[in-house]
Amino acid sequence: MDTVIKLDSPLGSLSASIRDDRLCGIHIGMGEQDTGSKGNLLCEQLQNELQAYFAGTARHFSIPLELQGTEFQKRVWHALTLIPAGKTLTYGQLAEQLNSSPRAVGNACRANPVPIIIPCHRVIAKRGIGGYDGQRSGQRLDIKRWLLRHEGVAID
């Protein structure tokens, strides 16, 4: 059974799922029930790393992950972790690196189970910001804009 913790953030409420001492999911703005994290060292590590990220004092995460996805998705997710904070790649640039297509990269980004930790927000369209979490406008795109601005990327 997963341990679910709720965290407050500048983006609103975050729910994080932990399974077998690994982070397996982050949901932004979703109201999963907190199952309790008192005394769980991984929960404390996640809270500390996210607080440091949102405070602007850290840009890297060391929390262990349990990622469920295809081999291609995992390749994309790994490539995303190599994009430095404050930098972006287009879907096309990342696709070229992976010998794939921009659409396939976008689909893998949409399936990212741990946004923020795996920075899919650092991938943008050739012209403009692109989408986020399967949406091309609205609240989800505002989250992507916030994350990019927080990391010092001038957009739109």
Side-chain angles (χ1 to χ4, degrees):
M1 183 170 150
D2 293 355
T3 298
V4 177
I5 61 170
K6 289 187 82 164
L7 306 163
D8 291 325
S9 81
L11 304 173
S13 178
L14 303 178
S15 295
S17 300
I18 295 171
R19 180 182 311 129
D20 298 327
D21 292 324
R22 295 184 180 284
L23 177 66
C24 60
I26 289 184
H27 305 283
I28 301 171
M30 299 214 166
E32 291 189 49
Q33 184 66 30
D34 193 321
T35 60
S37 59
K38 296 282 190 247
N40 184 315
L41 295 178
L42 191 72
C43 293
E44 291 177 23
Q45 179 185 354
L46 177 60
Q47 289 173 324
N48 291 338
E49 288 186 12
L50 283 170
Q51 286 173 350
Y53 172 80
F54 287 124
T57 59
R59 293 291 189 228
H60 301 282
F61 297 93
S62 62
I63 193 98
L65 303 175
E66 175 66 38
L67 302 176
Q68 300 293 319
T70 67
E71 288 306 312
F72 176 75
Q73 288 171 332
K74 290 177 183 180
R75 280 183 41 223
V76 171
W77 300 337
H78 174 72
L80 294 173
T81 66
L82 302 177
I83 304 170
K87 303 290 181 189
T88 61
L89 288 178
T90 66
Y91 294 99
Q93 289 170 321
L94 189 54
E96 188 173 311
Q97 287 180 12
L98 297 172
N99 196 27
S100 184
S101 72
R103 185 176 303 270
V105 166
N107 287 336
C109 288
R110 183 180 311 123
N112 176 8
V114 286
I116 304 168
I117 306 299
I118 294 179
C120 54
H121 59 275
R122 295 179 189 155
V123 182
I124 60 173
K126 189 158 85 172
R127 291 181 191 89
I129 193 169
Y132 191 66
D133 197 22
Q135 296 182 9
R136 297 188 56 77
S137 63
Q139 182 183 12
R140 293 293 180 196
L141 209 56
D142 292 341
I143 290 169
K144 183 174 184 173
R145 280 188 186 94
W146 189 96
L147 289 166
L148 288 171
R149 285 185 183 124
H150 176 67
E151 293 181 359
V153 176
I155 42 134
D156 292 341

